[in-house]
């Protein structure tokens, strides 16, 4: 189940939308940490977009990138902890990012 979802502009890192945390979630106390990580990831994408176009996964976050073969978007997975990872799609200049448990299916 997705824990956090954010939509942001890649060109400058401006958040366009974000989900609200579920207070009944077992990991609710840790979600602030993951939200900070998500914002850091988006900021690093914004920094890279000023250098290259389109932006790739930040090298300092150890991504295991997997690009879809027949889709125009670029799909990435970045491990956050032993139990969670960020999945994101960059379409044009918009990043759609979500935090899920590692066991959550990518599709």
């Amino acid at each position: 189940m997705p824990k956090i979802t954010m939509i942001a502009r890649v060109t400058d890192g401006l958040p366009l939308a974000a989900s609200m945390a579920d207070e009944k979630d077992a990991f609710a106390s840790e979600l602030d940490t993951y939200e900070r990580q998500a914002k850091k990831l988006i900021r690093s994408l914004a920094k890279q977009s000023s250098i290259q176009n389109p932006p790739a996964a930040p090298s300092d976050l150890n991504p295991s990138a997997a690009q879809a073969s027949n889709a125009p978007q670029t799909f990435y997975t970045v491990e956050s902890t032993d139990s969670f990872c960020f999945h994101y799609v960059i379409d044009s200049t918009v990043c759609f990012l979500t935090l899920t448990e590692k066991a959550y299916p990518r599709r």
Side-chain angles (χ1 to χ4, degrees), residues 22-42:
D22 184 8
E23 294 176 3
K24 297 177 184 176
D25 192 328
F27 298 99
S29 62
E30 300 173 18
L31 288 180
D32 286 339
T33 302
Y34 295 122
E35 286 177 1
R36 284 192 298 275
Q37 289 178 356
K39 290 176 184 177
K40 179 181 176 184
L41 176 61
I42 290 172

Side-chain angles (χ1 to χ4, degrees), residues 5-79:
T5 302
M6 296 181 81
I7 301 171
R9 227 173 20 206
V10 176
T11 53
D12 59 1
L14 179 72
L16 303 173
S19 63
M20 299 293 290
D22 184 8
E23 294 176 3
K24 297 177 184 176
D25 192 328
F27 298 99
S29 62
E30 300 173 18
L31 288 180
D32 286 339
T33 302
Y34 295 122
E35 286 177 1
R36 284 192 298 275
Q37 289 178 356
K39 290 176 184 177
K40 179 181 176 184
L41 176 61
I42 290 172
R43 281 193 306 268
S44 66
L45 290 171
K47 286 179 187 176
Q48 285 190 359
S49 74
S50 64
I51 298 170
Q52 65 187 28
N53 196 11
S59 58
D60 63 331
L61 294 174
N62 300 321
S64 56
Q67 184 171 3
S69 59
N70 58 356
Q73 300 94 0
T74 305
F75 299 91
Y76 292 99
T77 297
V78 177
E79 293 183 7

Side-chain angles (χ1 to χ4, degrees), residues 48-103:
Q48 285 190 359
S49 74
S50 64
I51 298 170
Q52 65 187 28
N53 196 11
S59 58
D60 63 331
L61 294 174
N62 300 321
S64 56
Q67 184 171 3
S69 59
N70 58 356
Q73 300 94 0
T74 305
F75 299 91
Y76 292 99
T77 297
V78 177
E79 293 183 7
S80 176
T81 62
D82 289 338
S83 23
F84 292 104
C85 57
F86 289 104
H87 299 288
Y88 65 94
V89 176
I90 299 173
D91 188 6
S92 199
T93 60
V94 179
C95 176
F96 302 88
L97 178 137
T98 188
L99 175 75
T100 63
E101 296 174 358
K102 281 190 178 180

